[in-house]
Amino acid sequence: MNEISFRKDNSQTEQHSPKMYSPTLQPLLQSLLSTLADIDFEYEQAKDKVSKNSPDTNLKIKVLEKLRAQHHERRMPYIQQLAVLQERMIPHR
């Protein structure tokens, strides 16, 4: 008869454990992520509106390109702040 091992594999458990952030950094992180979600939501709404309401394909393409550029520009400062926070949260090895 084969014996079955019920040993716990800690390496897999450690990979899936939630990360805990500094109490001072977590509110800022949540605020940045919330702001990015709002920006993305507004962008998606604007894209849908242009796509549904613009009969001229060439004009639609130009407006969508401009919206994409504005979206990128609005997001960039928040992305940069997230990168700075990430550097502060990750212990240097």
Side-chain angles (χ1 to χ4, degrees):
M1 234 185 216
N2 290 356
E3 196 172 306
I4 299 173
S5 173
F6 292 101
R7 200 175 53 147
K8 185 176 179 180
D9 182 4
N10 288 335
S11 64
Q12 191 173 6
T13 306
E14 290 172 8
Q15 291 174 357
H16 298 292
S17 62
K19 293 181 181 179
M20 298 301 293
Y21 300 114
S22 163
T24 57
L25 297 180
Q26 187 147 359
L28 181 55
L29 176 64
Q30 290 173 335
S31 176
L32 289 170
L33 292 173
S34 176
T35 300
L36 284 168
D38 291 343
I39 291 170
D40 290 346
F41 182 74
E42 291 171 12
Y43 171 62
E44 291 299 324
Q45 284 186 317
K47 274 185 9 182
D48 288 346
K49 185 176 180 181
V50 169
S51 295
K52 291 177 183 174
N53 296 332
S54 181
D56 183 348
T57 303
N58 291 329
L59 178 62
K60 186 186 306 188
I61 290 170
K62 288 179 184 177
V63 171
L64 288 173
E65 286 174 357
K66 186 172 182 173
L67 279 174
R68 185 195 55 75
Q70 289 172 340
H71 175 249
H72 179 76
E73 189 174 317
R74 281 185 70 197
R75 285 177 53 89
M76 192 51 58
Y78 301 100
I79 298 295
Q80 290 169 343
Q81 287 180 23
L82 280 174
V84 169
L85 271 182
Q86 185 177 15
E87 282 296 314
R88 290 174 58 189
M89 289 188 276
I90 297 175
H92 297 284
R93 295 178 183 162

